[in-house]
Amino acid sequence: MDFSLFYFADDSAGTPTGDPRGRYELLLEGARFADRNGFTAVWTPERHFHPFGGLYPNPAVTGAALATATHHIAIRAGSVVAPLHHPARIAEEWSVVDNLSGGRVGVSFASGWHPADFALGHAAYADRKTVLLQRLEEVRRLWRGEPLDVTDGNGAPTTVRVFPPPVQPELPVWVTSAGEVDTFRAAARARAGVLTHLLHQSLDELAEKIAEYRRTARRTHDGWDGHVVLMLHTYLAETRAEARDTVREPLRDYLRSSIHLVTRSFTEADPDLDLDSLDVEDIDFLLTRSFETYFDQRGLFGTVDDARRTVDAVRAAGVDEIACLIDFGVDTKAVLAGLRRIGDLRAVSSADQPGAGTATHRVRRSSAA
């Protein structure tokens, strides 16, 4: 099992000291730790117009910062919302980061999930899933040095190429999925990995989708097995009780900031449920249920031994890499101190896996294809 760090902070609360200069301390220091301790990648998302995830409007910018702060670790976009951008712009920005990092970038393309984001866009919200796959292929062609047909400012047809040329001959790509099986199939057909989470799906449901993804990948690309990354909220402590006490309020506040997203399972079960009409006690009930679900079933929490069992279950479901989301509101110093336990988990999980060297080779080859 490969381990990475994933970032998606809620910026509504500000920094603990109130000093805005500390907003990116956890990003940079966490990445440096991961770089020194054999982690696979650091992922940052693209998010617009809302405090939830609002520290990360452009993963190429944060990726450029990480490129100059690290030496070994892969630098990846947890999402580039492809319909919002011209493909040449995506390829240009990430080629710069590839050069700054010496060839360490990867991009997970996303279709976008909020209509307001499309105020930036080059495509309509309704067309986003089709445009995603189109953009992915256009960026790939530009990355390889191929020309792209475009229309210039005078309305005349022309072609463009990307400069500077990237270091890597092929761009490692994933597709970000909230859990729709059709997205898994589309990613497999596009010879792309999948980056997903457990917000709206159980691990058993994910296992079924991964199996379908693998079948489609092998059938479409002559035995290619694909690559699956699972994002999990993560905090490890000396005892399970300590972990629960540390994360309870920060995680509840984090869930509160995104309540319309994380409580989708409740509204799908009861379409008449109007979250905006709920009183404080109802909201508190939903947050408590969400917290318990995350802590017990859909996160990487507790002790190293607790997390080791979760890793075994995730591995059995077919996941290749766990992306540990660490910036959900726990004090920065506590998170940084706790990173060593994730490092311990990475070490024991690697030792648990038979043929670890062969598996790692397969994963790295698959993710770069």
Side-chain angles (χ1 to χ4, degrees):
M1 181 65 66
D2 283 351
F3 284 81
S4 300
L5 297 185
F6 197 100
Y7 291 83
F8 206 107
D10 170 29
D11 194 38
S12 60
T15 60
T17 64
D19 185 348
R21 291 174 296 182
R23 279 193 173 101
Y24 295 97
E25 178 186 6
L26 181 54
L27 172 67
L28 293 170
E29 292 305 318
R32 291 183 180 112
F33 175 91
D35 193 52
R36 295 191 302 267
N37 289 278
F39 285 62
T40 297
V42 178
W43 301 81
T44 57
E46 177 180 347
R47 186 75 176 96
H48 300 287
F49 312 136
H50 195 281
F52 183 67
L55 284 181
Y56 301 103
N58 188 333
V61 174
T62 49
L66 294 173
T68 61
T70 60
H71 302 283
H72 311 291
I73 201 163
I75 297 166
R76 298 176 184 163
S79 56
V80 166
V81 185
L84 305 186
H85 309 289
H86 194 285
R89 191 60 172 162
I90 298 172
E92 284 179 340
E93 289 182 348
W94 283 96
S95 182
V96 170
V97 183
D98 203 47
N99 278 271
L100 288 171
S101 66
R104 292 186 278 137
V105 307
V107 173
S108 190
F109 290 82
S111 61
W113 62 274
H114 202 292
D117 295 354
F118 283 70
L120 298 173
H122 288 259
Y125 180 74
D127 300 330
R128 64 194 185 281
K129 293 184 179 181
T130 300
V131 174
L132 160 67
L133 298 173
Q134 176 185 337
R135 290 281 186 275
L136 188 154
E137 292 304 326
E138 290 168 337
V139 171
R140 271 177 160 165
R141 294 202 303 270
L142 287 163
W143 194 270
R144 296 170 184 145
E146 300 172 14
L148 181 70
D149 294 331
V150 297
T151 302
D152 70 16
N154 292 320
T158 188
T159 60
V160 295
R161 287 184 168 86
V162 164
F163 296 95
V167 174
Q168 297 176 97
E170 290 284 342
L171 175 65
V173 296
W174 290 259
V175 172
T176 303
S177 172
E180 293 185 9
V181 69
D182 286 344
T183 304
F184 280 67
R185 294 190 188 102
R189 289 192 293 267
R191 200 180 174 95
V194 171
L195 170 63
T196 190
H197 51 68
L198 297 179
L199 272 69
H200 309 129
Q201 58 188 339
S202 68
L203 189 57
D204 287 341
E205 291 169 335
L206 175 60
E208 294 175 0
K209 295 167 190 175
I210 292 175
E212 177 63 16
Y213 167 75
R214 304 286 192 201
R215 285 191 292 269
T216 304
R218 293 166 187 151
R219 183 172 61 247
T220 309
H221 299 290
D222 193 25
W224 178 72
D225 206 35
H227 187 260
V228 178
V229 183
L230 177 63
M231 183 276 288
L232 293 175
H233 296 73
T234 301
Y235 182 78
L236 303 182
E238 291 297 327
T239 68
R240 187 170 182 82
E242 178 189 345
R244 181 182 290 272
D245 289 344
T246 300
V247 305
R248 180 185 290 108
E249 291 309 314
L251 185 54
R252 278 170 54 87
D253 289 343
Y254 186 77
L255 297 174
R256 188 189 305 276
S257 70
S258 60
I259 191 166
H260 288 81
L261 174 64
V262 301
T263 58
R264 193 177 80 180
S265 59
F266 297 125
T267 56
E268 287 177 346
D270 182 2
D272 295 327
L273 178 62
D274 181 6
L275 292 172
D276 294 324
S277 69
L278 298 181
D279 60 26
V280 174
E281 291 183 355
D282 291 331
I283 293 293
D284 191 67
F285 172 75
L286 289 177
L287 290 174
T288 298
R289 284 189 60 184
S290 294
F291 168 76
E292 296 297 338
T293 298
Y294 272 79
F295 191 87
D296 293 330
Q297 303 173 28
R298 300 191 179 185
L300 203 57
F301 293 115
T303 66
V304 171
D305 284 341
D306 292 332
R308 190 174 182 176
R309 290 189 287 272
T310 300
V311 171
D312 289 342
V314 165
R315 180 188 286 125
V319 171
D320 298 301
E321 177 183 328
I322 295 174
C324 301
L325 194 157
I326 60 172
D327 63 338
F328 54 86
V330 175
D331 177 73
T332 294
K333 290 183 180 179
V335 176
L336 292 173
L339 285 178
R340 65 178 177 83
R341 296 188 188 94
I342 305 177
D344 292 342
L345 175 65
R346 189 191 70 82
V348 298
S349 298
S350 296
D352 287 345
Q353 176 63 29
T358 302
T360 300
H361 175 72
R362 178 184 63 79
V363 166
R364 299 291 168 84
R365 174 176 54 82
S366 298
S367 64

